[in-house]
Amino acid sequence: MTEQHFIPKAHSNAVESGKVTWESPSNIALVKYWGKKKDQIPENPSISFTLNNCKTITTLGFSKKASTSNFEFEIFLDGEKKDDFKPKIQIFFERVEVYLPFLKEYKFRIETENTFPHSSGIASSASGMSALALCLMSLKKMLNPEMPNDYFYQKASFLARLGSGSACRSIEGDLIVWGHSKAIEGSSDLFGLKYPYKVHENFKAYQDTILLVDKGEKQVSSTVGHNLMHNHPYAKNRFQQAHNHLEKLKPILELGDLDAFIALIESEALTLHAMMMTSNPYFILMKPNTLEIINKIWKFRQETGLHISFTLDAGANVHVLYPKNEASQILEFIKNELVVYCQNGHYICDQIGMGAKKID
Ligand code: DP6
């Protein structure tokens, strides 16, 4: 399949004005996307857990306008006008216009809010861009009511990717693969795919407690970080490793092998940060408390045999991952021993979720 698949024919309905709301979750990668070509074509495949509680709720208001020479839109975050978000949305609209040719025919009002605190160090680009892509697809569906559901979700993921790569993994749940892998039938660089194979009970309702170690702005954005993978001395091996990891994950997920799962995802998290530390220029996003937490997790795991593990995204926060049936003991440990390393003691309890929802 190529991009051509998402270029539409003329629409059949006339729609004057209206409003649509979607809520869309964040996601946490197990095999990481780090390194991309133009338009968020990933250098390697990735797989993520869709989250349940960390989400963005976006309402898109639209009304027909007379002139079709420009994009016209306003953005509000928690009811406050946010002109500093405009350049990002402008670029997004420019990128997706060929797939949504009606964009210049409407004036848009984008109202958005997150269920997680704005300055929590949790990236809102995945949930935010996927929510916006879904709202735009709902308008598209009003214009073309005969559009099949499968196409709706696949194209929403395709558009979300053009806003932010990882956003294409936030449309559905509970495990999403993005990027072509020979091990996963139907996987594509263009959109996320619901993981199509058997997943053991052990991974159902898997828990993710997010420890907010540093809530400040990151010193290096993901986009800059991705670009530093060009000419990176270890890039080729890293991309190959991600392919291998995804292949190895298949039997792990099927058999419910928690020990192998932990070894694989922790290696992924540390490799991601190792790539940052060996970029040119190099940088470090972990903080001393990130390492304190990792060491405590390892010690507790060794002492108790419980299946507590961690992963990291492009920041200092730690995602503590564990199976549901061990939740009470592990949460107790988190509260007693790890929360002291969080900024102002803040953490968020989340778990695997089933994807975005339209709000009526
Ligand atoms: C470390 O999707 O935020 O979280 O495509 O430039 O918007 P852009 O980057 P983004 O990168 C996410 C990187 C990551 C790993 C992952 O989610 O796979």
Side-chain angles (χ1 to χ4, degrees), residues 1-234:
M1 196 185 290
T2 67
E3 281 89 347
Q4 283 299 321
H5 182 67
F6 298 103
I7 296 184
K9 298 181 193 83
H11 41 259
S12 46
N13 256 12
V15 177
E16 268 310 304
S17 63
K19 218 182 203 197
V20 58
T21 303
W22 277 88
E23 59 165 57
S24 191
S26 187
N27 69 74
I28 181 70
L30 305 170
V31 173
K32 309 289 180 180
Y33 149 56
W34 198 244
K36 62 175 170 179
K37 301 171 200 155
K38 195 170 171 283
D39 288 343
Q40 278 78 249
I41 294 299
E43 291 279 10
N44 63 257
S46 58
I47 184 167
S48 54
F49 277 153
T50 304
L51 295 183
N52 194 55
N53 304 335
C54 291
K55 47 194 180 193
T56 297
I57 300 147
T58 297
T59 298
L60 181 74
F62 46 88
S63 53
K64 273 264 189 186
K65 61 185 174 75
S67 145
T68 56
S69 55
N70 285 315
F71 298 119
E72 238 184 278
F73 60 90
E74 286 185 310
I75 310 163
F76 299 82
L77 175 66
D78 300 326
E80 244 177 70
K81 200 153 181 257
K82 276 281 178 194
D83 284 342
D84 46 329
F85 286 6
K86 279 190 124 175
K88 196 165 179 184
I89 303 299
Q90 175 75 27
I91 292 172
F92 176 62
F93 277 12
E94 284 165 14
R95 279 193 197 145
V96 299
E97 190 189 7
V98 50
Y99 308 107
L100 302 171
F102 57 82
L103 282 181
K104 283 186 180 148
E105 295 170 24
Y106 289 89
K107 181 174 162 47
F108 295 105
R109 183 184 166 93
I110 304 164
E111 292 170 87
T112 189
E113 61 188 85
N114 297 321
T115 58
F116 46 89
H118 181 51
S119 53
S120 58
I122 298 186
S124 57
S125 63
S127 52
M129 281 299 174
S130 53
L132 181 58
L134 284 158
C135 288
L136 291 168
M137 281 308 290
S138 282
L139 170 54
K140 176 84 187 114
K141 191 164 166 91
M142 288 177 211
L143 296 165
N144 295 84
E146 70 287 355
M147 182 192 300
N149 261 343
D150 287 3
Y151 183 81
F152 178 95
Y153 287 108
Q154 195 175 73
K155 183 161 170 177
S157 174
F158 172 87
L159 297 174
R161 186 203 91 236
L162 290 166
S164 174
S166 56
C168 77
R169 299 189 311 236
S170 274
I171 306 287
E172 293 178 276
D174 41 359
L175 265 169
I176 303 292
V177 180
W178 165 44
H180 178 69
S181 156
K182 64 177 174 6
I184 315 272
E185 212 184 314
S187 58
S188 166
D189 287 347
L190 301 180
F191 48 80
L193 172 79
K194 193 173 159 62
Y195 182 74
Y197 305 111
K198 204 174 145 232
V199 178
H200 192 275
E201 275 301 306
N202 282 351
F203 297 107
K204 295 281 144 83
Y206 221 71
Q207 305 289 299
D208 180 3
T209 303
I210 309 165
L211 304 178
L212 305 178
V213 170
D214 185 32
K215 301 195 260 175
E217 281 278 308
K218 290 186 281 197
Q219 312 96 305
V220 181
S221 73
S222 290
T223 302
V224 172
H226 284 291
N227 286 334
L228 292 174
M229 289 303 281
H230 297 133
N231 305 317
H232 189 294
Y234 307 131

